[in-house]
Amino acid sequence: MLLACLPPAMAVLVGCGVMDTGPVEAGAPAQGPRVTEGADVLRVYFLTPHGAWPVARPEPAGTAGPQAVLDALLAGPTRSERARGLATALPSGTHRVRAQASTGAVDLYLPWLVPELDRVAVSQLVCTAAAAPGVPGGRKPADVVVRIHESGIPQGAWPVRCDEDGAAAPVETSGPAR
């Protein structure tokens, strides 16, 4: 009859064996994108009101590498991505950016001159290439050098990186910039 003396809420807790423990330390909060276990993803950078932002997409089987990711970028956002407000600053059309990976770097061969592109479009290209799977060397995207080769300009390339804000940033070099 002890339960009859307790307030109803307390009787329920006592009756179920639930004890008040207060806050319990459960570790660090979850981080990173949600990914199905065992699934590979492509990170494609699209335009938001705040600049270039990564979107995780499932990686089609057997297509790992910078070229597959750049092709996905140039195809533009999917219908559901557009519905979420994502867009692209890259020129529309049937342009092809050729990507070639080497240890810790990706060379991008553009069909345009860099001044023809919006600053955010350059960031989309650079950050998508830097985050591509299949870049040898196991570096983090921020440590991958992306060398931009412009259409019709045979000499040199622009070495850039994707910074923590999703923007293309020049790589410091000891010699001439180009």
Side-chain angles (χ1 to χ4, degrees):
M1 284 313 204
L2 177 61
L3 291 177
C5 305
L6 296 173
M10 188 66 126
V12 170
L13 290 176
V14 171
C16 297
V18 176
M19 301 173 63
D20 180 21
T21 60
V24 176
E25 188 68 36
Q31 295 180 345
R34 291 181 300 167
V35 178
T36 318
E37 190 173 323
D40 291 322
V41 295
L42 303 177
R43 301 240 183 281
V44 183
Y45 280 71
F46 286 117
L47 182 62
T48 71
H50 306 287
W53 193 257
V55 174
R57 288 186 177 176
E59 180 184 330
T63 60
Q67 189 63 59
V69 181
L70 267 294
D71 290 345
L73 172 65
L74 289 173
T78 64
R79 181 177 298 166
S80 65
E81 291 165 347
R82 284 191 309 273
R84 293 188 344 238
L86 298 171
T88 185
L90 290 163
S92 61
T94 57
H95 307 288
R96 174 134 166 120
V97 173
R98 197 166 48 86
Q100 185 174 9
S102 59
T103 302
V106 178
D107 285 279
L108 294 183
Y109 298 89
L110 304 183
W112 318 279
L113 296 174
V114 170
E116 295 173 345
L117 298 173
D118 186 278
R119 175 186 56 83
V120 177
V122 175
S123 294
Q124 284 184 264
L125 290 163
V126 169
C127 293
T128 297
V135 177
R139 296 184 183 166
K140 294 179 183 179
D143 297 327
V144 173
V145 174
V146 178
R147 294 181 292 253
I148 298 177
H149 301 266
E150 298 175 276
S151 176
I153 300 179
Q155 74 280 3
W158 297 90
V160 293
R161 293 185 197 272
C162 180
D163 71 13
E164 65 277 356
D165 295 323
V171 172
E172 298 293 324
T173 60
S174 57
R178 292 188 38 108

